[in-house]
Amino acid sequence: MSTASGCLPASITRAAPRPAPPPATLRAAAAPQAAGLAPAARTSSGTGAVLPRSRYLTVLGWAFTLFNSVRMAAYLPAVWAIYTSGDSGQHSLWTWCTWFGANLTMALWLRERNGGHFDRAAAVNLGNATMCGVTMLLIAWFRF
């Protein structure tokens, strides 16, 4: 048995051949994803029809608004529980401060990205920041 390094058979020490690069059509199809661009949304009908990007973005924008508006209402049970019990011991002030800051800075960042105008996404984040701020103030009020 012949060995290249003295210990291993020659068949093990040979470099494995590199796989062939993907065809140009596959590289071109992967380019938008590699560049961070979202692929077009497909319909669930199974026909392979593609929604126009503008419709996809409209639906996505309204879904964002809907779910984040519902999220604003979801703060109310915590606010009500703290207010009626007068006990904020089970709520983390640090967590609510973090959520307040995250929502507020996101609203301001979106405003800046939109040329200084509040769009729907910025308004929703501002609403979430407001609800986090209310909760944060109640926690602090009953704790200190």
Side-chain angles (χ1 to χ4, degrees):
M1 177 182 261
S2 136
T3 60
S5 65
C7 306
L8 300 172
S11 61
I12 294 176
T13 59
R14 286 186 203 140
R18 288 186 161 196
T25 56
L26 290 178
R27 284 194 305 266
Q33 289 82 1
L37 301 174
R42 300 223 174 252
T43 62
S44 60
S45 65
T47 62
V50 177
L51 288 174
R53 181 149 175 86
S54 62
R55 179 180 287 173
Y56 165 73
L57 291 175
T58 299
V59 170
L60 181 62
W62 281 107
F64 170 85
T65 303
L66 171 71
F67 286 111
N68 278 281
S69 297
V70 170
R71 186 173 83 165
M72 282 194 303
Y75 292 116
L76 294 175
V79 169
W80 185 251
I82 295 167
Y83 179 74
T84 57
S85 71
D87 180 19
S88 64
Q90 292 190 6
H91 298 273
S92 169
L93 184 58
W94 175 248
T95 298
W96 285 97
C97 286
T98 302
W99 289 342
F100 170 76
N103 282 297
L104 181 62
T105 56
M106 183 62 168
L108 295 173
W109 182 79
L110 287 168
R111 179 182 167 268
E112 291 302 319
R113 300 280 298 180
N114 198 24
H117 300 288
F118 273 98
D119 62 355
R120 188 174 37 215
V124 167
N125 274 280
L126 190 58
N128 285 319
T130 301
M131 294 304 292
C132 289
V134 167
T135 308
M136 181 181 67
L137 290 173
L138 275 175
I139 292 170
W141 178 265
F142 287 109
R143 186 159 304 164
F144 304 114

